[in-house]
Amino acid sequence: MAKTISEDRARLVQLTDENRTSLSALSSMLGRNPSYLQQFVRKGSPRRLEEKDRRRLAEFFGVNEVELGADPDIGRPRESEDFLAVPRLALDASAGPGAVSAEEISFDSFRFSRRWLREMGLDGARLSAIRVEGDSMEPLLRSGDEIFVDRNKRAGEGIHVVRIGDALHVKQVQASAPGRIKLISANDAYAPIELGGEEVEIIGRVVWKGGRI
């Protein structure tokens, strides 16, 4: 008879798949042996994640620690209740020819007030922060800007981060002919690109930007 996987382990596998990463990569992010999370999921060893590992994973995925096995009766620190950690990914979204995607693992995070996020209409968003490179979206987005990408919003028109092959781009997405998508730059020096819908993966909509003055 097959061994039943616990809810927290199943949730970890689900979040790993949704974020296009792997258990071995996440184990390395935690400073653990690459097989650490694989053994946790498949063999139940350890029985529970250490608190610091669980918190790091929850921050990376942008979820409550309870989803990863934390005791719901134990109150989290006030900082965790009032602030959300938005993971910074070690890759760039090119506003030019296209940046080759690195493995999408957080190397840092921004901490934002949950109240501010609600005021900005970002409550419930699944956010990741990445840096813009290139000048094709100037003056709207400049090279070096940090942008928040809501991975819950992958449909409709607007400014999105998209993947074409192995390269990431940030572009204005516009519907074209049936089954086709037009990618438009803010900088008139760059011509629009039209592709079949199957050639483009929508990563998420750009919902916030920040950068130097």
Side-chain angles (χ1 to χ4, degrees), residues 82-94:
D82 293 345
F83 290 85
L84 176 71
V86 176
R88 298 179 70 196
L89 303 185
L91 50 83
D92 301 314
S94 176

Side-chain angles (χ1 to χ4, degrees), residues 60-79:
F60 172 73
F61 292 127
V63 300
N64 192 302
E65 286 182 52
V66 173
E67 296 185 36
L68 297 175
D71 188 341
D73 296 326
I74 299 177
R76 294 194 301 169
R78 182 169 179 80
E79 180 178 289

Side-chain angles (χ1 to χ4, degrees), residues 66-124:
V66 173
E67 296 185 36
L68 297 175
D71 188 341
D73 296 326
I74 299 177
R76 294 194 301 169
R78 182 169 179 80
E79 180 178 289
S80 297
E81 294 173 353
D82 293 345
F83 290 85
L84 176 71
V86 176
R88 298 179 70 196
L89 303 185
L91 50 83
D92 301 314
S94 176
V100 176
S101 170
E103 193 163 31
E104 297 180 26
I105 296 296
S106 169
F107 70 96
D108 195 3
S109 64
F110 292 111
R111 303 190 73 84
F112 279 83
S113 159
R114 292 182 186 272
R115 178 178 177 179
W116 181 84
L117 290 170
R118 286 194 297 271
E119 292 172 351
M120 295 293 292
L122 299 177
D123 189 32

Side-chain angles (χ1 to χ4, degrees):
M1 183 176 179
K3 185 177 179 180
T4 302
I5 186 171
S6 63
E7 288 186 9
D8 57 322
R9 289 172 170 80
R11 181 60 173 148
L12 175 58
V13 172
Q14 180 185 18
L15 289 167
T16 300
D17 291 342
E18 289 177 353
N19 285 268
R20 299 172 58 86
T21 184
S22 66
L23 292 173
S24 61
L26 292 170
S27 296
S28 298
M29 179 185 74
L30 298 174
R32 299 280 191 170
N33 184 290
S35 63
Y36 171 65
L37 290 178
Q38 189 72 248
Q39 291 178 346
F40 168 70
V41 169
R42 306 302 178 196
K43 298 182 179 180
S45 177
R47 291 182 59 190
R48 293 172 65 102
L49 293 172
E50 289 190 16
E51 183 178 352
K52 62 182 179 64
D53 292 337
R54 186 178 62 237
R55 181 179 300 115
R56 184 74 180 88
L57 290 169
E59 288 181 351
F60 172 73
F61 292 127
V63 300
N64 192 302
E65 286 182 52
V66 173
E67 296 185 36
L68 297 175
D71 188 341
D73 296 326
I74 299 177
R76 294 194 301 169
R78 182 169 179 80
E79 180 178 289
S80 297
E81 294 173 353
D82 293 345
F83 290 85
L84 176 71
V86 176
R88 298 179 70 196
L89 303 185
L91 50 83
D92 301 314
S94 176
V100 176
S101 170
E103 193 163 31
E104 297 180 26
I105 296 296
S106 169
F107 70 96
D108 195 3
S109 64
F110 292 111
R111 303 190 73 84
F112 279 83
S113 159
R114 292 182 186 272
R115 178 178 177 179
W116 181 84
L117 290 170
R118 286 194 297 271
E119 292 172 351
M120 295 293 292
L122 299 177
D123 189 32
R126 188 156 66 96
L127 300 173
S128 299
I130 58 180
R131 191 180 64 172
V132 173
E133 281 197 349
D135 64 354
S136 75
M137 291 302 290
E138 290 187 356
L140 184 60
L141 298 174
R142 300 184 182 279
S143 189
D145 282 352
E146 296 272 357
I147 55 176
F148 281 6
V149 181
D150 184 357
R151 295 186 178 221
N152 285 338
K153 295 185 177 180
R154 303 188 186 190
E157 299 187 349
I159 300 173
H160 290 74
V161 171
V162 302
R163 190 194 312 275
I164 304 172
D166 292 327
L168 293 178
H169 304 257
V170 53
K171 297 291 181 185
Q172 177 81 27
V173 172
Q174 187 178 92
S176 184
R180 298 188 68 78
I181 293 175
K182 183 176 289 186
L183 305 178
I184 302 172
S185 302
N187 187 337
D188 292 338
Y190 292 81
I193 304 170
E194 187 171 327
L195 297 169
E198 73 282 356
E199 300 178 82
V200 182
E201 178 188 358
I202 307 295
I203 302 299
R205 184 178 299 171
V206 178
V207 293
W208 184 88
K209 71 168 184 175
R212 293 183 179 180
I213 297 176

